[in-house]
Amino acid sequence: MIMLAMKKLGFGTLRLPLTRPDDVKSIDQDLFNRLVDEFMKAGYTYFETGWPYHSQCAEDACRKAIVERYPREKFCLADKMPTYNLKKSEDYENIFTEQLKRCGVDYFDYYLFHNLGNKTYKQCEELGGFEFLRQKKDEGVVKHIGFSFHDTPEVLVKILTEHPDVDVVQLQINYIDWENISIQSRRCYEVARKHNKPIIVMEPVKGGALASVPEKAEKLMHKIHPEDSPASWALRFAAGFEGVFIVLSGMNTIEQVKDNIKTFDNLTPISPEENTVLEEVKEIISKSTAVPCTACRYCVEGCPQDIQIPVLFSIYNDAMKYGDINYPTVHYQHAVFGHGKASDCIECCKCEKSCPQHLPISEIMKEIATRFDKEK
Ligand code: SF4
Ligand code: SF4
């Protein structure tokens, strides 16, 4: 049975604190442990991890911070199968066994196929993916099954119709993407509700973008709630929909954990008046963000040119937003040191196949190359 009474805030481990900002493997374990303690102390229990997070280091970090420090029955752990990476049926078992080992558990409370879409779904069907999930649930090593989803509502209808027994669906829901024609959050949400699926929300703060909104937008929010952070608005928006039972937030400072707990301890849905403010905020943000990348890094591993795609996008966004005031060229040179430059992109489009935001990465690389690599 889904634990609908569970507190709604979930701890996502895609963006853990680092000891070296340019090395995603350098997880600050001590700080992560303290974040977990703060979270658990407030009565929150849901943790979510994934095979590719932090270049395959997040599951180990979860074992150290959560599993080795708290009784198993005191927390819920969700993990995800890297569906897009599989070549043969045996991969399911091999990866699943390794995930149990990395996490140090003998069962997962929630186990999801990661980033399911039209192509990955077809591949999953060919390799017997859903049979594998059901088998693991029958064995008791997975309590609830589901999938995270990044495609059209039509594909979601197909999957849920063909597999009505999945327990949960994980969707990208935030106020920027709600009516976005490429993400189609609202329509996907409506499909999940029609099929009576409890919903886990991912990217409610859009990779942190809705936590630090342009000053003009923040002023509008502060006018109504001087004490509330922009992140709290985004989380309340996502948490307010019927059927949402967990909202994941990647937290990497104690302040963020405390702020999120404050929001969820006193959770109130967005009012019509607040919604009007969010519409204005949306306009301002859309005008100021050149590339809506969420820094999930799913694209990075497969790039044959070793281009740090989300890092370059972040620098490019800053350059577009602030001009030269925060030294974008210096940041760019630092980011490409030892890695591929934007102009090294060979337009193979491998990255685009794994991008949940459907970004035309190779096209954007050309623009970035024009901006930063012109002297080369
Ligand atoms: S299109 Fe460019 S950025 Fe994307 S994987 Fe290929 S080389 Fe890398
Ligand atoms: S480009 Fe796409 S896949 Fe890569 S980090 Fe950004 S959102 Fe994620």
Side-chain angles (χ1 to χ4, degrees), residues 15 115 203 291-300 309-311 313 351-352 354-359 361 364:
R15 299 176 185 91
N115 197 355
E203 303 288 7
V291 183
C293 165
T294 64
C296 68
R297 298 186 59 86
Y298 299 161
C299 54
V300 175
I309 300 164
V311 180
F313 285 175
C351 51
E352 291 174 18
S354 54
C355 177
Q357 310 307 320
H358 313 292
L359 296 175
I361 298 173
I364 305 167

Side-chain angles (χ1 to χ4, degrees), residues 84-85 87 115 119 297-307 309 345-356 358-363 365:
Y84 41 86
N85 266 350
K87 303 274 180 290
N115 197 355
K119 187 166 170 264
R297 298 186 59 86
Y298 299 161
C299 54
V300 175
E301 223 161 274
C303 175
Q305 300 298 90
D306 187 25
I307 298 171
I309 300 164
C345 174
I346 52 171
E347 297 177 49
C348 66
C349 297
K350 264 179 110 173
C351 51
E352 291 174 18
K353 295 190 183 90
S354 54
C355 177
H358 313 292
L359 296 175
I361 298 173
S362 54
E363 280 303 308
M365 279 301 153

Side-chain angles (χ1 to χ4, degrees), residues 72 96 100 105-111 132-145:
R72 182 66 186 90
F96 183 79
L100 287 175
V105 294
D106 49 19
Y107 70 91
F108 290 115
D109 299 276
Y110 292 82
Y111 193 74
F132 173 83
L133 278 191
R134 284 180 199 112
Q135 183 201 324
K136 290 296 151 198
K137 193 174 169 185
D138 290 346
E139 289 170 11
V141 286
V142 164
K143 304 294 179 198
H144 305 96
I145 58 173

Side-chain angles (χ1 to χ4, degrees), residues 130 134 158-167 195-197:
F130 280 88
R134 284 180 199 112
K158 183 173 164 62
I159 301 175
L160 290 177
T161 305
E162 292 174 0
H163 299 284
D165 58 336
V166 297
D167 300 307
H195 288 256
N196 287 318
K197 299 299 167 197

